[in-house]
Amino acid sequence: MLTAGTIDDELQSERTYVAGLYAKLDAERERVRNRYRAAMRSPIDAQDGGTLVDRDAEVRATAKQMNRLSVADNGLCFGRLDSQTGERSYIGRIGLFDEANDYEPMLLDWRAPASRPFYVATAANPENMRRRRQFHSRGRQLVDYTDEVFGRPGSDERGDAALLAAVNAPRGEGMRDIVATIQAEQDEIIRLDHNGVLVIEGGPGTGKTVVALHRVAYLLYTQRERMERHGVLVVGPNAAFLNHIGRVLPSLGETNVVFMTAGDLVPGLHATAEDSPDAARLKGSLKMLDVLAAAIADRQRQPAEPLPIELTDVTVRIDAETAQWAIEEARASGLPHNEARAVFVDIITYVLTERGIARIGKGWLTRQDSGAWENLREDLVRELADNEQFAAALEELWPLLTPESLLAQLYQSRERLRAAGADETLWRADGDAWTVSDVPLLDELVDMLGPDKPDDRTAEREQRAEAEYAAGVLDLMQSREDLMDDEDRLLATDLLYAEDLAERFVERDTRDLAERAAADRNWTYRHVVVDEAQELSEMDWRVLMRRCPSKSFTIVGDLAQRRSAAGATSWDAMLEPYVPGRWIYRPLSVNYRTPAEIMAVAAALLAEIAPDAEPPESVRASGVQPWSRHVTDDDLHTAIEEFNRAEAGREGTSVVIGPPDVPGAVPPSQTKGLEFDAVLVVEPDRILADGPRGAAELYVALTRATQRLGVLHRAPLPEALAGLTETPLSA
């Protein structure tokens, strides 16, 4: 048994070791910083593309190393593992090695396979370990440690001191990583070897979001070469949520990540408004594909009356029969609308020039005079190209369209909606008042319409040619690889890529990966994380599947919390059309956020709105009972102020959640995925009154608190909340 003196000696010994780790970290930072400075100062030959590529690759590589090392100050080392044979391993945020001692690991990266027992070893299955020691640090200072000796009678597999300290700690402004306290069921999901789609479902507080983010960090660690150059996309429900989780991956040393809401997936468009449930359901359905196709076809028209085109020597007309022939040929080409317009124009031009030549040459010109016939055709083609009547006719019969113009004009015209077979529920006076549900339709139209400027496709072809040339160079280099020694092979692999070679031919883009990816609609990612995935419609999923051709996804959600009328009712129905047989499901069942007292209240509501769903089991009780208070119209504002004053004197965060017209209240939809020490829910009956969406929103509101929950109501409490203790707010 350890005595007080022995414990003090052990603590001092661990402090000395951790201090040595920080000394190693500082030395490594200085070494990398010097390499970075040297690379920045190295001379380059403007005529030598290879030198420029090498210099830039070194700058990028050392900059990434500096970023990786810069995140390690806070909690560099989490603890120690002692094996049954007496070997010790220290586990931390990054890996550090002793170059003077055959690169012996001084600190194991938490993602390394050897670190796994730190998270999964239990009394029942100790993974050949004797002791897990967890450190409690403040900044660089080791304050204390907790030992768990496996096999000891009564050893608790789940509720250790480090975990309880973490879940009970006051919340700050953003989500914290859980890298020091990952639990066994979470670690299994984080390290899961599956290249397809992984669905993580769990109730409130089960850590599904932070588990998904740690899985991204793990994948970037184990598959860095495959994933890093195209990055990872994280899609969340709103900007507040993305801000809340935005620190987790950088804190783990990963920066090649793009954060977006579903309303940001079309570059240059930021939509936050929501449609009515009926409109959202219609727009989210795959039936909208037929509506969009019909809306495009409706803009490919025959003239009601022949359209005269006055040329210098003759007047020609575009009639319905000619236009119909041109429409059929253009559609048969299979090209998007704007590109097929060239076929339409060619047919119209051919017919008009033939008719013009026949009239101009009547009585003197025959087809046997081929030279004169062709000269006259060229003259008429040039004249048509400059003719304003001809340009106006083409714009009327087959206009160049943008996604925004087509959709806005569709929404604000009941006639066009009927022609496209769309429900008049979609009508609105302000056609381009974009909502989140419009984004997947606009994205779909990018492919259905094609570029609205002829130069767009030319630029794409040139860039493809440059990349293909660069890839060919790499293929030639690969054939010489057997002649290279290990060091040269590593240098070539790390520093020379097709994109680097292609940059010799185009203007250099100095933006980082996240900036370039966010601005490029055609950018594809190696992995996509989708949070609150139950809210996404069938059309939303088409957008996301286009963004990730490899179909590598981590999907996070809870069907019981679905509020969108267009959202998922089952994962199978949503995913099978895209990844049949390539998706797997993993549940999380332990609630690390919500204390048992609050979860009991939320579970009563869950039983009404989703009777088949099992509420997550809370890992702790707070000892504080959630309360309710009946208020009048006059004292509602006073009661909210009293709550705010009481919470202002406590450490941590708080929020008031309620209907939009309650002063100082945040709508439930804006708190999805967030957590606060104290929550005040105002007028739950009004939240609940908004149909199925309202029930889900009230469930979300009730499960945001980590410590304290209060409810203010003017009308009688909903039946599901009858178990709340009615008490004055000051109590």
Side-chain angles (χ1 to χ4, degrees):
M1 181 174 181
L2 292 176
T3 65
T6 305
I7 292 174
D8 288 342
D9 291 344
E10 280 282 295
L11 180 58
Q12 187 55 50
S13 175
E14 298 292 26
R15 284 174 173 169
T16 300
Y17 191 87
V18 170
L21 293 176
Y22 277 110
K24 176 64 178 176
L25 174 67
D26 291 338
E28 187 70 6
R29 281 176 174 168
E30 186 61 24
R31 184 185 67 82
V32 174
R33 189 178 295 113
N34 289 337
R35 279 184 57 199
Y36 178 79
R37 290 168 178 164
M40 290 294 290
R41 290 194 300 265
S42 63
I44 59 173
D45 183 349
Q47 303 301 316
D48 185 353
T51 302
L52 180 63
V53 168
D54 292 346
R55 197 286 301 269
D56 285 359
E58 175 71 2
V59 169
R60 287 198 299 270
T62 52
K64 288 177 182 177
Q65 283 183 278
M66 287 195 299
N67 287 335
R68 170 179 167 269
L69 295 171
S70 69
V71 304
D73 257 329
N74 184 21
L76 172 62
C77 183
F78 312 142
R80 191 182 92 192
L81 272 176
D82 296 355
S83 73
Q84 296 283 3
T85 59
E87 295 176 348
R88 293 180 177 180
S89 300
Y90 287 85
I91 314 300
R93 194 171 294 275
I94 63 172
L96 293 174
F97 300 90
D98 184 358
E99 295 91 338
N101 191 22
D102 288 334
Y103 285 87
E104 278 291 314
M106 300 172 63
L107 184 67
L108 289 175
D109 190 299
W110 68 274
R111 293 164 288 195
S115 299
R116 189 170 183 270
F118 187 77
Y119 299 109
V120 302
T122 66
N125 186 18
E127 300 274 337
N128 295 319
M129 295 296 150
R130 173 61 182 160
R131 176 187 285 111
R132 171 169 48 219
R133 174 168 290 176
Q134 292 182 296
F135 291 162
H136 313 297
S137 302
R138 186 179 300 114
R140 288 192 168 202
Q141 181 64 34
L142 177 58
V143 177
D144 198 0
Y145 67 83
T146 303
D147 272 353
E148 182 179 3
V149 179
F150 299 117
R152 183 174 56 200
S155 179
D156 189 344
E157 295 181 16
R158 190 176 68 196
D160 61 86
L163 172 64
L164 291 177
V167 297
N168 280 308
R171 266 44 185 176
E173 293 183 358
M175 178 179 282
R176 297 167 296 186
D177 65 58
I178 60 169
V179 66
T181 57
I182 293 170
Q183 300 301 290
E185 72 167 357
Q186 298 171 330
D187 187 80
E188 180 184 352
I189 294 172
I190 289 170
R191 299 174 191 267
L192 193 63
D193 183 16
H194 179 67
N195 292 326
V197 174
L198 168 63
V199 175
I200 306 173
E201 183 167 28
T206 52
K208 52 188 178 294
T209 296
V210 74
V211 166
L213 295 177
H214 283 69
R215 175 168 170 77
V216 168
Y218 177 75
L219 291 175
L220 285 167
Y221 176 81
T222 57
Q223 305 176 29
R224 188 166 300 279
E225 183 176 345
R226 185 179 74 86
M227 294 184 64
E228 192 173 54
R229 291 187 62 77
H230 282 255
V232 173
L233 172 64
V234 177
V235 179
N238 52 59
F241 173 82
L242 294 179
N243 183 60
H244 178 63
I245 69 171
R247 303 175 187 177
V248 174
L249 284 169
S251 77
L252 299 172
E254 306 300 347
T255 56
N256 286 347
V257 181
V258 178
F259 294 89
M260 289 185 182
T261 69
D264 300 325
L265 288 170
V266 172
L269 185 71
H270 181 62
T272 58
E274 293 190 9
D275 283 299
S276 69
D278 286 343
R281 183 172 55 253
L282 289 170
K283 292 180 182 181
S285 168
L286 292 181
K287 294 177 182 177
M288 283 301 297
L289 295 173
D290 294 332
V291 170
L292 296 179
I296 294 172
D298 185 52
R299 307 300 295 274
Q300 303 163 355
R301 298 190 167 190
Q302 306 171 20
E305 299 290 339
L307 301 176
I309 312 297
E310 297 176 2
L311 303 176
T312 301
D313 298 319
V314 68
T315 296
V316 291
R317 288 173 172 78
I318 305 176
D319 55 32
E321 183 180 5
T322 299
Q324 183 58 32
W325 178 31
I327 289 171
E328 290 172 358
E329 291 293 327
R331 289 176 178 172
S333 71
L335 295 170
H337 169 87
N338 289 334
E339 294 181 74
R341 174 183 159 114
V343 178
F344 179 83
V345 172
D346 285 347
I347 297 295
I348 297 292
T349 300
Y350 171 78
V351 172
L352 295 187
T353 54
E354 284 290 306
R355 291 174 179 174
I357 293 169
R359 292 176 185 174
I360 293 171
K362 187 176 182 179
W364 64 272
L365 182 63
T366 68
R367 285 196 178 274
Q368 280 67 38
D369 302 320
S370 59
W373 192 286
E374 287 305 316
N375 288 336
L376 187 53
R377 181 192 298 282
E378 290 176 5
D379 291 341
L380 290 176
V381 168
R382 281 193 295 270
E383 193 171 355
L384 282 172
D386 294 331
N387 187 280
E388 293 183 1
Q389 288 179 317
F390 186 56
L394 294 178
E395 186 62 22
E396 178 182 344
L397 302 178
W398 195 292
L400 283 171
L401 297 169
T402 66
E404 293 82 0
S405 66
L406 176 76
L407 203 56
Q409 292 165 16
L410 175 66
Y411 286 154
Q412 60 193 25
S413 169
R414 288 187 170 88
E415 180 184 351
R416 283 189 169 134
L417 285 169
R418 284 193 296 272
D423 195 293
E424 286 202 19
T425 302
L426 301 184
W427 180 89
R428 66 186 183 212
D430 189 356
D432 57 3
W434 304 119
T435 68
V436 175
S437 302
D438 292 325
V439 172
L441 307 184
L442 292 168
D443 189 76
E444 195 76 39
L445 285 169
V446 172
D447 290 337
M448 296 177 77
L449 293 176
D452 62 316
K453 298 181 180 64
D455 292 339
D456 287 0
R457 196 63 73 178
T458 301
E460 288 181 13
R461 281 196 296 268
E462 291 175 353
Q463 291 176 4
R464 275 199 302 272
E466 290 155 5
E468 287 169 2
Y469 169 81
V473 173
L474 288 181
D475 288 341
L476 290 174
M477 292 183 64
Q478 188 68 32
S479 67
R480 299 174 53 207
E481 187 173 357
D482 290 339
L483 302 177
M484 303 163 64
D485 60 28
D486 289 342
E487 183 176 353
D488 288 340
R489 184 182 298 114
L490 178 62
L491 184 67
T493 302
D494 285 349
L495 300 185
L496 195 56
Y497 295 90
E499 288 182 13
D500 293 322
L501 289 171
E503 286 176 355
R504 299 185 189 186
F505 303 94
V506 297
E507 183 178 350
R508 298 182 62 76
D509 190 340
T510 59
R511 295 172 299 172
D512 63 25
L513 181 143
E515 291 175 309
R516 287 183 286 130
D520 185 355
R521 184 262 175 184
N522 294 315
W523 189 279
T524 57
Y525 298 88
R526 284 292 183 262
H527 191 76
V528 177
V529 177
V530 186
D531 210 318
E532 300 294 343
Q534 73 277 355
E535 307 297 347
L536 300 189
S537 69
E538 294 174 314
M539 291 299 295
D540 288 323
W541 282 110
R542 286 178 63 85
V543 179
L544 293 174
M545 292 294 170
R546 279 194 288 269
R547 298 295 191 272
C548 187
S550 64
K551 305 297 187 291
S552 178
F553 282 76
T554 299
I555 294 172
V556 180
D558 180 9
L559 295 178
Q561 295 187 57
R562 179 178 65 90
R563 60 183 294 275
S564 171
T569 55
S570 79
W571 302 118
D572 184 81
M574 195 62 76
L575 295 174
E576 275 297 312
Y578 302 105
V579 284
R582 285 195 60 224
W583 69 277
I584 59 176
Y585 175 87
R586 292 293 184 273
L588 288 170
S589 59
V590 179
N591 189 331
Y592 300 99
R593 176 179 69 215
T594 316
E597 295 88 345
I598 295 176
M599 199 60 221
V601 176
L605 176 63
L606 181 65
E608 289 193 4
I609 64 175
D612 295 332
E614 284 289 330
E617 179 186 355
S618 294
V619 76
R620 67 191 171 99
S622 67
V624 179
Q625 291 297 324
W627 52 265
S628 63
R629 182 186 184 193
H630 182 265
V631 294
T632 65
D633 293 348
D634 294 334
D635 58 14
L636 175 62
H637 183 64
T638 301
I640 293 174
E641 286 187 337
E642 188 178 340
F643 168 82
N644 287 331
R645 281 196 303 270
E647 291 303 326
R650 293 187 171 110
E651 187 179 3
T653 60
S654 62
V655 68
V656 178
I657 303 176
D661 59 349
V662 174
V666 179
S669 61
Q670 294 302 307
T671 65
K672 290 183 76 76
L674 307 183
E675 57 184 28
F676 307 87
D677 291 270
V679 172
L680 181 66
V681 178
V682 181
E683 302 203 79
D685 59 298
R686 292 182 56 199
I687 298 174
L688 196 59
D690 193 12
R693 176 162 68 179
E697 292 201 336
L698 181 56
Y699 182 61
V700 168
L702 293 172
T703 54
R704 297 307 94 195
T706 66
Q707 303 291 342
R708 299 174 295 280
L709 171 67
V711 175
L712 297 179
H713 59 103
R714 290 187 287 189
L717 276 176
E719 183 64 28
L721 305 186
L724 285 169
T725 302
E726 190 74 17
T727 182
L729 184 61
S730 57

